[in-house]
Amino acid sequence: MNKDFDVLKYIKDFPVLNKEVNGKRLVYLDSAATAQKPLSVINAIKNYYENINANPHRGAYFLSTASTEAHDNARKTIKEFLNAKYSEEIIFTKGATESFNIIAQSYGMNFINANDEIVISISEHHSNLIPWQQVAKAKGAVLKYLYLDENGEIPISEIEEKITSKTKLVSITQMSNALGTILPVKEIIKRAHEVGAVACVDAAQSIAHMAVDVQDLDADFLVFSGHKIMSPMGIGVLYGKKHLLNKMTPFLFGGDMVEYVYEQDTTYAELPYKFEGGTQNVEAAIGLQEAIKYINHVGIDNIENHVQQLLEYAHEKLSQLEVVTIYGPKELHKKGGVISFNIKDVHPHDVSTILDSYGVAIRSGNHCAQPLMRYMNINSTCRASFYLYNTKEDVDIFIDSIKNVRRWLGYGS
Ligand code: PLP
């Protein structure tokens, strides 16, 4: 393992990993669903409520100003984290799902027309799929898919054939939550721009594992959820290029997103407030800011290396088990810290329940990617995912418990 990365030092920062859960040591292998939270994030939320809680933007008094400043400061931290050009390009949302719905409703419904094409990949999470189905249905547009080859990758030919002058929007995940595949988003964005299409990136998984730079990617929109990078739930980000956000209509109408309201008409606030109707989740924005500070403190490259090493270690051990089928790319540098697999003749929910009795938490199901499962001719998989606080010992416990699954169910081995 990476000698410079002292994982035990970081584990101490996560209260839930330092006690028994349901009478057992927790081996948490479900960070792709949501990451555990370090004490600094938990304390930041406590501090907010103990010292600065007030409705932001709405008062001239000290606390309200402090709350407004804290919210705006959090936005600046996210701007730096994504290397966005302007703070106004960072919109706070409830999460990736809401961010996609904003793009679909406020951009898609206004700028996509009949017979235009929208291109996504077959490995998209439902949140980057259903909103585009809605736009396609409402506008008479065509929703096209980039399919994976037998190696679990999108061939270049697929990108060139599907993204054409008819394409008006491409929306692609940077890392599949279901298979761990890292997609060539930079190349896909380049192709989208060559044909004059707008490109959105789903960074809900990748944001936890690699440096994400919106200017380097040249992404027009990029979304993520804070909870996957250790912030509280209920906060996420929509990044959008300023000129695109400026021409879009608001998504949520109400308090705070307005300039002037008349009996019959309204003018809207400037960016980013135009897209932030209603009282904002200031505690979660501060929690997200603190989570980013924590990532910066550990170092995103260290996290990426550590997770990659755990992935390789787990992959090697799991591949030695004849009864296990692993899905996704064979070349591990094309994969993030996710292993999707099945055990012969055992339903993933049974695997997950049996592993739980060993204190091992993994995910089972279709991972909000039903079209992908159907394309692969399976119903569901087991998914183990790794993060900065996981150890080789976690992987060993996971593998030992996997070895017991079929025995539990009465199979010989
Ligand atoms: N996109 C991907 C790749 C995800 O993994 C997820 C959540 O699992 C989402 C989008 C949606 O995130 P949320 O449920 O936080 O809105």
Side-chain angles (χ1 to χ4, degrees), residues 28-49:
Y28 187 72
L29 301 181
D30 198 20
S31 296
T34 198
Q36 294 300 345
K37 320 301 172 197
L39 209 50
S40 59
V41 169
I42 298 167
N43 284 341
I45 298 163
K46 190 162 170 275
N47 178 55
Y48 171 74
Y49 281 117

Side-chain angles (χ1 to χ4, degrees), residues 32 121-125 146-155 159 172-185 188 201-207 209-210 304 308 311 315 326-340 367 369 372-373 375-376 383-385:
S121 87
I122 193 66
S123 43
E124 298 311 319
H125 186 280
L146 303 176
Y147 292 102
L148 307 173
D149 62 17
E150 57 285 358
N151 297 321
E153 295 166 31
I154 297 178
I159 297 170
I172 297 285
T173 187
Q174 194 167 20
M175 176 179 155
S176 154
N177 62 308
L179 301 178
T181 320
I182 293 170
L183 282 85
V185 284
I188 294 174
V201 177
D202 179 355
Q205 292 294 329
S206 57
I207 196 80
H209 296 282
M210 60 182 85
E304 189 174 5
Q308 189 64 21
L311 174 75
H315 209 275
I326 301 177
Y327 305 102
K330 311 266 174 302
E331 291 179 67
L332 295 187
H333 67 275
K334 294 182 176 163
K335 210 168 169 169
V338 165
I339 301 189
S340 215
H367 315 295
L372 174 66
M373 296 289 129
Y375 177 71
M376 293 172 61
R383 183 186 72 186
S385 51

Side-chain angles (χ1 to χ4, degrees), residues 32-33 94-98 100 123-128 173 175-178 202-206 223-228 235 363 367-368 383:
K94 278 198 307 204
T97 303
E98 187 175 280
F100 275 125
S123 43
E124 298 311 319
H125 186 280
H126 295 161
S127 64
N128 187 24
T173 187
M175 176 179 155
S176 154
N177 62 308
D202 179 355
Q205 292 294 329
S206 57
V223 315
F224 72 91
S225 296
H227 67 94
K228 312 261 191 202
I235 189 92
R363 176 79 182 266
H367 315 295
C368 299
R383 183 186 72 186

